[in-house]
Amino acid sequence: ATSAVIVERDPRAQDAIRRNLMSTRTTDRAVLRKRGFVGFLRGPAPETPFDLVFLDPPYDLGAQDLSAVLLLLDAPGWLAPGAGVVLERGHSAGPPGLPTGWQVSWERVYGDTLVVLVGPDADTRPA
């Protein structure tokens, strides 16, 4: 990636992220936002829409809450055309409800973890 926005609310994880960015010499290409992802998504959209989003919410986040997060990402300005959203959650939770016009590109199960790539269908996304 040429750039990244990392959103994390846990102070210990923030420290680990800062150390990793420094050790990999990528502090010039990544910015850390110290907040939860819902608060981040309720703020202004980024200057450049995201091509790829990795969304690793707490495993116990309910399907309805996760669907609400995806609706926030579906708002204008957040996702570039053809963008993908990688979701990680507990396998037993199953895939979340998707916003209208979104589709599942693929899904994989790794032990107790379900990883799903979803995103807006370019043919149905509003201009």
Side-chain angles (χ1 to χ4, degrees):
T2 58
S3 66
V5 176
I6 303 168
V7 180
E8 178 58 58
R9 69 177 177 189
D10 182 276
R12 291 175 298 173
Q14 293 169 7
D15 289 340
I17 291 165
R18 273 194 297 276
R19 286 191 307 272
N20 287 336
L21 292 173
M22 288 173 52
S23 71
T24 58
R25 297 184 186 120
T26 55
T27 55
D28 61 328
R29 293 186 293 167
V31 61
L32 174 60
R33 299 289 182 225
K34 300 175 187 177
R35 59 190 319 177
F37 55 88
V38 172
F40 176 75
L41 292 173
R42 286 192 175 139
E47 288 181 27
T48 304
F50 299 121
D51 295 313
L52 183 61
V53 173
F54 288 93
L55 187 58
D56 185 9
Y59 270 42
D60 60 353
L61 186 68
Q64 199 168 22
D65 292 330
L66 184 52
S67 294
V69 169
L70 295 177
L71 281 173
L72 291 171
L73 269 174
D74 195 40
W78 285 99
L79 298 176
V85 177
V86 178
L87 297 170
E88 182 179 330
R89 57 193 322 223
H91 174 259
S92 62
L98 299 176
T100 301
W102 283 43
Q103 61 187 5
V104 174
S105 296
W106 60 258
E107 62 181 71
R108 304 286 188 277
V109 175
Y110 302 98
D112 294 352
T113 303
L114 173 65
V115 179
V116 185
L117 175 63
V118 299
D121 180 351
D123 294 334
T124 61
R125 185 147 180 93

